[in-house]
Structure formats: structure tokens, C-alpha cells
Amino acid sequence: MSAVPFTAAVSRMPSQETPPGGQIDELAEPALRTFFRIAEAWSLNDPEQMRVLGISSLALLRAWRGEGLSSFDEEALERISLVIGIFKAINTLLPDAARANAWMRSPNKAPLLQGETAVAFIVDGDLARLQALRAYLDAEVGHD
């Protein structure tokens, strides 16, 4: 059986509203696995990952990386869903994975980013910034 490229696997993931509480536990492990693969592709260090996930504990980040699902909640799932959407959109706009990943760390003159990199924009920990970047990229995908 051949391996599916990561970008192809993510592009087939359905977009969903946040599920009810019981389903959060079922989605936590695959969501975290996907998040950490994207974080690796974007070269996010531990503090950046923590801010994107909205957590302040390095121990919790390490637990999640090791599939310990303590304290995984609806907000964490929402943040990961937004990251996946950002990843999908940027890879749609820039189909070359290296170029798409580099875009995340390149200064951008888009009005939303105002010269910041996309990573700098989303690592302040504000959920609204993840939502704004996702909406901006989704709109850009819609303009093609």
C-alpha cells in the first residue's frame, strides 16, 4: 500500500463544525497528530505551538504530543480545525508544499497581515487571528 502525501490526506479531511462533547475525545488524537505534522511543516517551535493551541503549559504540549489527551477541549479542537483549514487553503493557493510552507514565514503585504508573517500573526494566541487568517485564505481560494 502506498503512502498518501500529507497534503493530499489533509485535503480530504471534511470541514466540520465543532462536535458535541463526546465526539471531542474521539477526534482529539487524529486532530493532534495532524496539528503536529502541520507544525513540523511550518517549523513551529514549542512556544509557537503552545500559543497557536492556546495553552500555557509546556508539560501539556508534551503530553498532547505523546497522545496524552488530558485537558483537551472544544477550544483546542476549534484551533486545530482552523490550522487545518489554513494549511489546506495555503496548499491550494500554492500547490508546491515547500513554497506553501515558506509562505507561512515570509513577510506579507496583505492588508490583514500588514507586513507580518502568517506565523507571527497567528502565534499571539488570539483565536480571532486564527479565524481571520482562515477567512482571508478561504476568500483568496474562492477568487481563483
Side-chain angles (χ1 to χ4, degrees):
M1 184 167 141
S2 64
V4 176
F6 179 58
T7 52
V10 169
S11 68
R12 288 196 307 260
M13 294 180 73
S15 297
Q16 299 180 7
E17 296 295 319
T18 303
Q23 292 179 331
I24 290 173
D25 293 338
E26 294 174 23
L27 295 173
E29 191 175 326
L32 285 166
R33 192 171 43 249
T34 302
F35 172 79
F36 289 121
R37 290 182 75 180
I38 292 170
E40 182 179 344
W42 291 348
S43 301
L44 298 180
N45 60 33
D46 287 351
E48 290 170 333
Q49 290 176 38
M50 291 166 52
R51 288 191 296 270
V52 169
L53 289 168
I55 61 175
S56 58
S57 167
L58 182 57
L60 182 57
L61 179 71
R62 289 180 177 156
W64 285 359
R65 196 177 289 134
E67 297 182 17
L69 303 179
S70 66
S71 301
F72 192 84
D73 60 13
E74 186 175 317
E75 183 178 332
L77 188 60
E78 180 179 3
R79 287 171 175 273
I80 292 172
S81 175
L82 290 165
V83 167
I84 291 169
I86 291 165
F87 182 87
K88 287 171 61 173
I90 196 59
N91 279 276
T92 298
L93 292 167
L94 303 170
D96 177 280
R99 190 168 167 219
N101 294 335
W103 182 88
M104 292 298 296
R105 294 254 179 214
S106 300
N108 193 300
K109 294 182 182 180
L112 176 69
L113 299 175
Q114 300 178 353
E116 277 189 287
T117 69
V119 167
F121 184 77
I122 64 173
V123 299
D124 81 341
D126 186 3
L127 181 61
R129 285 185 162 225
L130 282 167
Q131 293 165 333
L133 184 59
R134 168 80 188 268
Y136 167 74
L137 290 172
D138 284 349
E140 290 297 311
V141 168
H143 282 99
D144 288 349

